[in-house]
Amino acid sequence: MSKLSLENVTYRYSVGTPFCKTALDGVSVSFEENRVIGLIGHTGCGKSTLVQMLNGLLKPTEGRVFLDGKDIWENPKEISAVRYRVGLVFQYPEYQLFEETVRQDIAFGPTNMGLPQEEIDRRVEEAALFVGLEKETFDQSPFELSGGQKRRVAIAGVIAMGPEVLILDEPAAGLDPMGREEILGGVRSFQKEKKSTVIIVSHSMEDMASYADELVVMDHGKVARTGSCRDIFSDRDSLLGYGLDVPQITRFLIELNALGVPVRTDLFTVEDVRKELLRLYPSLAKGGKR
Amino acid sequence: MNNDPFIKIENLNFAYGSGDEMSRPILKNINLTVEKGSFVAVLGHNGSGKSTLAKLLNMIESPVSGKITIAGMDITDPEMTEEMMIEIRRKIGMVFQDPDDQLVATIVEEDVAFGPENLGIEPKEIRRRVDEALKTVGMEQYATHAPHQLSGGQKQRIAIAGIIAMMPECIIFDESTAMLDPTGRKDVMDTILRLNKEHGITVMTITHNMEEAVYADRVIVINEGEIVLDGTPKEVFGNVEKLHSFGLDVPQVTELFYELNLSKCRLPSDVLTEKEGADVIARMVL
Amino acid sequence: MITDITLGQFFPGQSVIHRLDPRTKILGAIFYIVIVFLAKNVFSFLLLVAFTLFLVLLSRISPKVVLKGLKPLIIIIVFTAILNLFGKKGETPLISFWIINIYPEGIRYAIMIIIRVVCMLAGTSVILSYTTSPTAITEGIERLLSPLAVLHLPVHDFAMMMTIALRFIPTLIDETDKIMKAQTARGVDFSSGSLIRRAKALIPILIPLLFSAFRHAKDLSIAMECRCYRAGKGMTHMTTHRFGLRDYLSALVMCAFCAAVVLLNKYAPGFSL
């Protein structure tokens, strides 16, 4: 049984007005436990709608959403319990901070859940550790922090709610390489330790190649493809058709292949390509065959 | 490209506050000359001081010491008149990160007209410039749209059109693609390149994204308020280890070649694109 | 959803009305409202309806759009009509049961109110809001009020503020929507609990929104300075409106329409509403 799944879900905005728009069109997809899943697709493909569907912020116009095999809308009054179990971090989450101190802001979600104080404290510290926030910042105002730190406070605020599924919409958008690595690495270690399901929406194929176990490709309100990074990235033509591309290192392999060098083209991290080239051509390490 | 310096920065120091309240130095002894018609990328991680440089060039902040000359005018001169300031701001346009925070009017073409209107240009001439600017950024069919109906990349191109309509000689792009999706980023990047190559506008992009810097004629890396690397993209990106230590990335192919060289290969360190990389490897193994 | 609110009602076009000076249109709209309330009998009302239709056709805005624009106000229209239907007392009730008496006067009044409100909304929309860009409206107001600048009233600043407010309403609505969703995901409940609880639930929305508004204000002011803005000093306008033949003619038409309504009120026999 999958952790979280959508069954034939359709969603239309502004039904009954001339602005009516179908954002999701009969989507069926399931997300398994204990892995990082990358959700990729061109802007406007329905990714943002899909993630809001997964934690009950939006209700499907048609179709059903299952969490642990149970329809989340069976009892609409209990939807907030679903939101605690499926944590959602929006794009630019630093703009939702509001408390006086970092500690209070991270504790906001857990407090709303009605947890006892010691448990809240424990979770705040644990969540801060995952995203790499130093303890010195705890009593500072979140508004005094740098952009990257604010982002980490906001993500910690959702992690502290102890979600079984954590969804992040473009968590690294606008950050520099170091900031990206810190956040994505933190999310990865959270996933490893909690064995939870993590869904990351991203535009960066390079990031997906290094952090995601599986990919879900969306196009025009539908799920176009699902599979491992290898499955998805070894079919560049269809990715191009969805307005996406493969990582640069994979394009390099394709280019090399076209020049008549018989390398495999289904690798997508620098490390794998390095190993493959050295395995195929040990002579490279001695300065080529010349 | 000719050799007239458009921007000349000499011994520039900057810190926030003054006297005893002064913060740690943000920019330290910067010396930099940008030639007319060139395309310079200023690369640095967040908080390296690179955005402060943009604010100094546009007189949003003034330096603690040092001199900045733009098109022959000393912009650090405390006696500068308002007319001079307007003239400098006209010559050196700025495009910022958040496209929403740059658009003033509720209709695209009226927004593009805002700059020329402030400059007191004749209505007929404004009309001509607005139409031309919208055409240059490829947004003419959106002239009567409202900005909030547009995507981030489209809004950013409108912001650029608003600057072009002032007929600047130089445009500074301060993290202008950071908030955009890949399509928007590409459209804006193409527009920037066209402005530089076809319209001869001097371009300075301030960014932490190495993909943008690859297109520049010259890359300047700032770290902890100091210029640490300066050269063509090929020269700069060859320093993979250094760039990593400054919290910056290099293209994946450059990274691969660097890693292979660590495994005792002898490959060129200045390969940036997948095409170049494939050519080099193919020549060696075939 | 909160973002469904349609703003920016302006429909760009090239009709006669579109091309009028915004000042003419602002004054025209005010004048038009006055005339709507002058109409008193069947004939003047018929003229009013005919003239409104004429304006709609002249604006080349689809009547469908105009009708749709009235839709959100239906409740208000019906409510006022009903209030008048029951509230107006006459001599002999037409229908009478329990404590409710409906007099013929009430019915007439209700009909009159409906026609007035519909004509007023449809008329002012096609004269002003549908055919004039918000910037042009602000420019019009600025120029109409410009004599006040002599008294050192900041007329230009006021107009600029209006433009920016109009520009940022959709942005801030989007942001409110996003922040509300983000806080809902963190367990805030806006729809249940006591009044105090619900008021408290607004804090996590209002503070981020306020910060966001300040951030926009700061960044926008820098961007405006960089675009050589100096509080309207020496500023020109791309579309300068000057009173032309068109404007004088439309003033004449409005006056004639007003006179016709007044004359019909006075001399058309019987049928007073």
Side-chain angles (χ1 to χ4, degrees), chain C residues 11 58-59 76 131 139 161:
Chain C
F11 297 94
L58 206 62
S59 74
I76 300 172
T131 53
E139 190 209 328
M161 270 157 60

Side-chain angles (χ1 to χ4, degrees), chain C:
Chain C
M1 207 169 77
I2 189 164
T3 40
D4 285 350
I5 303 168
T6 36
L7 278 147
Q9 307 165 301
F10 171 52
F11 297 94
Q14 285 298 319
S15 78
V16 184
I17 301 186
H18 278 94
R19 280 181 289 166
L20 285 175
D21 187 304
R23 287 172 291 177
T24 315
K25 290 194 265 188
I26 293 168
L27 294 176
I30 296 169
F31 193 22
Y32 181 82
I33 295 171
V34 173
I35 301 173
V36 166
F37 282 94
L38 282 178
K40 280 209 180 85
N41 69 12
V42 172
F43 296 104
S44 49
F45 263 92
L46 281 175
L47 180 66
L48 180 64
V49 172
F51 189 72
T52 309
L53 281 175
F54 166 69
L55 285 178
V56 172
L57 292 179
L58 206 62
S59 74
R60 293 203 215 140
I61 283 170
S62 142
K64 254 196 207 152
V65 171
V66 179
L67 281 179
K68 222 168 248 156
L70 294 174
K71 223 168 130 188
L73 297 155
I74 273 181
I75 300 171
I76 300 172
I77 297 172
V78 170
F79 183 73
T80 12
I82 288 176
L83 219 64
N84 278 285
L85 187 65
F86 296 123
K88 196 80 191 165
K89 295 214 159 34
E91 292 192 351
T92 43
L94 206 62
I95 305 162
S96 174
F97 64 92
W98 191 37
I99 52 160
I100 296 167
N101 291 309
I102 295 177
Y103 300 90
E105 287 87 349
I107 296 177
R108 255 186 276 162
Y109 234 82
I111 294 174
M112 197 170 81
I113 288 286
I114 292 177
I115 297 179
R116 262 191 190 153
V117 176
V118 168
C119 282
M120 189 170 82
L121 291 173
T124 48
S125 327
V126 293
I127 294 179
L128 197 61
S129 50
Y130 287 174
T131 53
T132 323
S133 79
T135 328
I137 296 181
T138 345
E139 190 209 328
I141 294 175
E142 186 185 346
R143 294 180 69 187
L144 282 173
L145 296 179
S146 62
L148 295 178
V150 180
L151 304 172
H152 295 290
L153 286 176
V155 176
H156 169 81
D157 299 354
F158 171 72
M160 197 68 225
M161 270 157 60
M162 256 176 68
T163 308
I164 292 172
L166 283 168
R167 155 75 187 82
F168 273 90
I169 286 169
T171 309
L172 288 175
I173 286 178
D174 271 354
E175 266 164 27
T176 313
D177 191 49
K178 235 198 261 160
I179 295 169
M180 269 175 84
K181 278 184 174 161
Q183 305 299 30
T184 312
R186 294 215 281 167
V188 177
D189 188 356
F190 301 102
S191 51
S192 65
S194 66
L195 205 62
I196 296 172
R197 251 189 87 122
R198 280 196 220 189
K200 262 180 108 176
L202 285 179
I203 295 173
I205 310 272
L206 292 179
I207 292 178
L209 198 61
L210 219 77
F211 265 91
S212 173
F214 281 128
R215 184 171 42 85
H216 285 308
K218 185 176 143 246
D219 292 352
L220 184 72
S221 64
I222 291 177
M224 283 169 72
E225 265 189 66
C226 289
R227 292 173 75 181
C228 302
Y229 181 67
R230 37 179 177 168
K233 211 161 112 193
M235 196 171 179
T236 48
H237 288 282
M238 174 169 67
T239 34
T240 38
H241 298 93
R242 236 175 265 138
F243 283 131
L245 187 60
R246 214 180 278 132
D247 297 282
Y248 296 116
L249 275 179
S250 35
L252 214 66
V253 170
M254 287 300 280
C255 289
F257 168 50
C258 180
V261 166
V262 171
L263 288 176
L264 281 174
N265 275 341
K266 207 161 181 189
Y267 296 110
F271 294 130
S272 157
L273 277 173

